[in-house]
Amino acid sequence: MSNPPPIPAASPSYTLAEFVQSTAQQDKGHGLFEKETERLLEVNLNGRINTKMGSMVAYHGQIKFTREKMMDQGMGNLLKKAISGEGMSITYADGQGKLYLADAGKKVSIINLQNESIFINGNDVLAFEPTLTHKISMMKRVAAMVSGGLFNVHLSGSGMVALTTHYEPVTLKVEPGKPVFTDPNATVAWSGNLMPELKKDISLRTFIGRASGESFQMCFQGEGFVVIQPYEEVAFQPQG
């Protein structure tokens, strides 16, 4: 005789005081960047931090927000942006206080670069220290597949960066002679020494039944890593 199915546990309920206590902000003492929750970044601000525009959800203290100007990345990038329309909106947060950042409920990861470099999809950069040099570029050939192309941020130097992913990120090793192929919309980041190529795959397009154009893949060769997420994210759209 089979056992009866288990009875689901009742959902927990709280008094108002218990809810406030259980969800209260906590100081973990981790420094400039802290994960208040898996999906909320706390910045213990004392100076300046660069943030993704629209990512601020709360703050207290004396903090001023200003948008990055076109000239802030230098004349070369200004001319490049004027010709190609490339760009990603960054907001400077200046002052002292606690700043809370989030992006559509995505999971937050914090990386401390130590004289290193990394490429991150423009959709997935949440915040980074101004000690890091940043350069925004676009893989133009992928514009044939996704509206607006694929914007990347190249961060280099020493400092912290917070990136976001839909669900848990997975890092794949790239080894000589063993290229790694990824879906551009599921690709989050890769090591700064890798320069991916874009590859068309008509047979894959036929298999999955897409009729809007060839299927594109990113091909990583050499030695390094690539970070993916189990989600195909809509390509970053620069804000005007």
Side-chain angles (χ1 to χ4, degrees):
M1 182 176 179
S2 60
N3 295 325
I7 300 175
S11 299
S13 61
Y14 301 92
T15 66
L16 180 57
E18 289 171 340
F19 176 79
V20 171
Q21 182 178 3
S22 65
T23 60
Q25 179 268 336
Q26 299 180 24
D27 288 317
K28 301 180 176 66
H30 294 165
L32 177 63
F33 284 2
E34 295 183 8
K35 289 200 293 182
E36 182 62 30
T37 70
E38 288 299 305
R39 303 176 190 278
L40 184 67
L41 178 71
E42 177 186 288
V43 181
N44 295 301
L45 187 63
N46 185 17
R48 166 171 287 190
I49 202 72
N50 300 332
T51 72
K52 181 177 182 178
M53 178 170 283
S55 62
M56 187 277 290
V57 294
Y59 74 91
H60 63 77
Q62 300 298 317
I63 301 177
K64 180 181 178 182
F65 302 91
T66 55
R67 181 172 177 173
E68 180 186 52
K69 298 177 182 178
M70 292 180 68
M71 282 295 294
D72 289 355
Q73 291 192 52
M75 181 61 72
N77 279 330
L78 171 63
L79 296 174
K80 185 179 179 183
K81 181 173 181 178
I83 294 171
S84 65
E86 296 179 15
M88 172 190 170
S89 296
I90 291 174
T91 298
Y92 302 136
D94 292 280
Q96 292 182 326
K98 289 188 181 293
L99 172 63
Y100 298 92
L101 306 174
D103 185 12
K106 294 163 64 178
K107 181 181 174 65
V108 177
S109 297
I110 301 171
I111 301 173
N112 191 358
L113 297 178
Q114 298 179 357
N115 197 26
E116 299 163 305
S117 67
I118 189 172
F119 284 94
I120 304 178
N121 188 310
N123 258 345
D124 305 319
V125 177
L126 183 61
F128 58 94
E129 289 191 76
T131 54
L132 294 172
T133 300
H134 72 284
K135 182 178 180 181
I136 299 169
S137 61
M138 181 177 74
M139 298 183 70
K140 296 178 182 177
R141 284 185 57 197
V142 86
M145 182 189 72
V146 291
S147 175
L150 181 66
F151 288 84
N152 304 309
V153 182
H154 185 205
L155 295 166
S156 57
S158 296
M160 287 194 288
V161 54
L163 60 83
T164 58
T165 57
H166 289 278
Y167 311 106
E168 297 290 336
V170 173
T171 299
L172 306 175
K173 290 181 62 176
V174 180
E175 299 176 317
K178 296 180 180 180
V180 173
F181 299 87
T182 66
D183 183 321
N185 287 334
T187 306
V188 175
W190 59 92
S191 27
N193 62 303
L194 297 181
M195 298 299 294
E197 299 177 355
L198 288 169
K199 176 179 178 294
K200 296 180 182 179
D201 193 327
I202 296 177
S203 62
L204 179 61
R205 171 208 170 192
T206 304
F207 174 73
I208 61 180
R210 291 182 178 175
S212 59
E214 295 87 353
S215 171
F216 280 76
Q217 302 163 12
M218 297 176 73
C219 176
F220 296 87
Q221 300 188 75
E223 188 169 4
F225 64 86
V226 56
V227 182
I228 59 172
Q229 62 184 1
Y231 185 94
E232 293 187 34
E233 190 167 23
V234 176
F236 176 82
Q237 296 293 323
Q239 302 180 32

